[in-house]
Amino acid sequence: MPSPPPRSPHEAPKRGRRETWIRRLADAHRDHPDREVVAGHHNVNHVVPLGWSLALLLRTMPFRARVKCRMPRETVEVVPRIWPSEAELLTVVSRHLREVPRCLRDFGDWSLHSYRAGRALSDIQPEGPVGEAMMRSFAQFFARAAAVPERELPPRPAGWPAPGRSQDFLDWLIAFTEERVHRPHRPRFEQLFTAVGLRPDVLGAFRDDPRRPPLTPRPFCLLHTDVHRANVVVGRRRMAVIDWELAMYGDPLHDLATHLVRMEYEKDEQTRMTELWAEEMERAGHRDMTAGLTADLPVYLDFEYAQSVLPDIMRAALGLTALPTGPDDTDHARAAARVCRALRRAAEPLRLADVPDERRVERALREWHEGPHGRVVAEGARAAGEGV
């Protein structure tokens, strides 16, 4: 399996007197006392007003403008990142999808982005149906992203699956989940994984399922891979999909499947969203990307449920260690509910023999938290003033 590039940007920051002033002013913006802090799994963002001096140096309009100071977080690696520089990708994407925020400067350790005004869909509609109009907007977004020319995208890692080799692409995703997510983190979470029924060869059941025929070959295109409510900004004119750090180049059905799952659509909404996706892809001239849709989309949905059980369990457990005063009964109950939901959705694709109830999962979480990889680690981090 080809290894993804390192997480740090591979291009050195720009140099020179002007760039030095830009960096100094940008640092001051990042620490602005009126900053709005927006935290996600992978980044912490400070949204601040753009001052005249920095705007002039960046050759952009300061009037009523805000910018986003984007700082990566140290997190457990649970999803692929094939392009080390989000800034380099955004240079391409923002040329073709004008509503996507631009990266104004990449300083290496953090980056400065334009800010898309509007409200996150997760604030407007945190759960439940989003409506036909919004789903059609999503379908149109996927069709427009598929039109971004492959020749303009940054290079893929060595050994990346060749365009059209859909089965090879899925095999790469499975191998990444096993080799970069499950195997490295198994020692720390062994007690918890075993207690909730995830055996050491858990991904083998999905990978080696004899009932599943090879995927239909489909052309590859640009994929966002993380289109969910928190990554969608709704404005007066158009929605914008933000946070492109997990984008990749591959089978378009993977992008559709991750969207269907992470949006928490009900079954009828999944069906309608799939219909709209196919309609818009055909209307945009991408009919060949819909080949094998009926047979292959369920495979990608199963994979999404199968792979997400690992980060869901790890994040639930690590969330308990991050609480400043330690978890209470409510915290444990919420974490157990999250784990149980992930296990139920992954039960069929992973062929789990036994899905534990919430009481058993809560007990497993408590035991892990009290063990050497839970409470003790958290107390040490807190004593040193570090985040978990």
Side-chain angles (χ1 to χ4, degrees):
M1 183 191 83
S3 296
R7 291 184 59 84
S8 58
H10 65 273
E11 290 187 342
K14 296 180 180 181
R15 298 184 181 277
R17 182 177 297 178
R18 178 167 170 268
E19 295 302 324
T20 298
W21 276 107
I22 288 175
R23 177 62 192 253
R24 288 177 181 175
L25 289 171
D27 284 337
H29 276 66
R30 183 183 60 178
D31 299 326
H32 195 285
D34 295 331
R35 63 186 179 269
E36 175 189 352
V37 180
V38 181
H41 284 308
H42 308 286
N43 294 278
V44 175
N45 302 292
H46 291 181
V47 180
V48 299
L50 176 60
W52 277 95
S53 298
L54 182 56
L56 291 172
L57 287 170
L58 293 172
R59 299 187 176 98
T60 189
M61 176 61 71
F63 181 63
R64 304 176 85 179
R66 291 195 288 173
V67 288
K68 182 166 63 176
C69 305
R70 191 163 170 80
M71 292 151 286
R73 302 179 68 177
E74 289 296 327
T75 60
V76 175
E77 184 180 34
V78 294
V79 285
R81 181 170 180 171
I82 72 164
W83 286 314
S85 173
E86 184 185 20
E88 185 181 5
L89 176 65
L90 286 175
T91 300
V92 177
V93 174
S94 61
R95 279 202 301 265
H96 297 275
L97 283 68
R98 295 300 182 89
E99 74 279 8
V100 172
R102 296 178 297 126
C103 179
L104 302 173
R105 277 298 185 277
D106 186 354
F107 301 115
D109 52 344
W110 68 280
S111 53
L112 185 70
H113 295 240
S114 61
Y115 178 73
R116 175 58 57 183
R119 296 178 63 196
L121 182 58
S122 56
D123 293 333
I124 299 171
Q125 187 72 43
E127 58 185 17
V130 296
E132 176 93 1
M134 180 59 69
M135 288 196 292
R136 187 170 292 279
S137 293
F138 282 132
Q140 292 169 348
F141 160 78
F142 288 120
R144 293 168 60 228
V148 174
E150 181 272 338
R151 66 182 179 277
E152 297 183 24
L153 296 173
R156 268 74 70 195
W160 188 253
R165 302 293 295 268
S166 297
Q167 186 60 51
D168 290 349
F169 176 73
L170 176 60
D171 290 342
W172 189 95
L173 294 173
I174 296 170
F176 175 90
T177 304
E178 173 58 32
E179 298 172 18
R180 302 294 291 268
V181 182
H182 181 217
R183 196 177 299 164
H185 299 297
R186 183 91 197 183
R188 182 176 185 183
F189 295 95
E190 175 78 39
Q191 174 188 354
L192 181 57
F193 285 164
T194 301
V196 301
L198 297 187
R199 56 195 180 279
D201 64 339
V202 65
L203 287 168
F206 179 82
R207 182 188 60 239
D208 304 327
D209 189 344
R211 303 168 299 176
R212 187 174 64 244
L215 296 180
T216 302
R218 270 175 298 277
F220 285 7
C221 65
L222 173 65
L223 316 178
H224 183 282
T225 80
D226 202 24
V227 183
H228 56 76
R229 297 173 198 244
N231 281 345
V232 176
V233 176
V234 181
R236 287 183 294 179
R237 296 182 179 180
R238 173 181 283 181
M239 75 165 199
V241 179
I242 62 173
D243 291 2
W244 286 77
E245 64 186 345
L246 304 181
M248 60 174 61
Y249 181 73
D251 190 337
L253 287 194
H254 175 55
D255 219 7
L256 175 60
T258 58
H259 173 69
L260 294 177
V261 172
R262 297 177 194 186
M263 281 292 293
E264 305 283 355
Y265 288 130
E266 296 294 338
K267 222 37 171 172
D268 59 335
E269 293 175 294
Q270 284 197 1
T271 300
R272 183 54 181 155
M273 183 63 219
T274 301
E275 292 171 350
L276 292 171
W277 178 88
E279 289 176 13
E280 293 298 334
M281 293 295 273
E282 290 189 25
R283 183 175 290 115
H286 306 311
R287 185 173 185 176
D288 48 353
M289 293 187 183
T290 70
L293 173 63
T294 302
D296 292 352
L297 181 59
V299 177
Y300 276 111
L301 289 171
D302 280 350
F303 170 73
E304 180 63 15
Y305 291 133
Q307 71 82 21
S308 64
V309 73
L310 296 165
D312 282 350
I313 291 174
M314 291 190 288
R315 284 171 176 163
L318 291 173
L320 297 175
T321 69
L323 297 169
T325 59
D328 58 22
D329 291 346
T330 300
D331 296 320
H332 281 292
R334 287 175 179 167
R338 177 179 181 179
V339 170
C340 283
R341 185 171 185 271
L343 289 168
R344 286 193 296 268
R345 298 198 304 181
E348 184 174 348
L350 292 180
R351 297 193 189 182
L352 301 180
D354 175 33
V355 177
D357 59 22
E358 292 189 13
R359 181 179 300 179
R360 180 171 145 196
V361 170
E362 185 174 337
R363 183 166 61 249
L365 285 166
R366 288 179 183 275
E367 291 173 355
W368 180 86
H369 184 262
E370 292 298 318
H373 297 297
R375 179 175 54 81
V376 174
V377 172
E379 289 177 351
R382 284 194 290 269
E386 302 170 353
V388 178

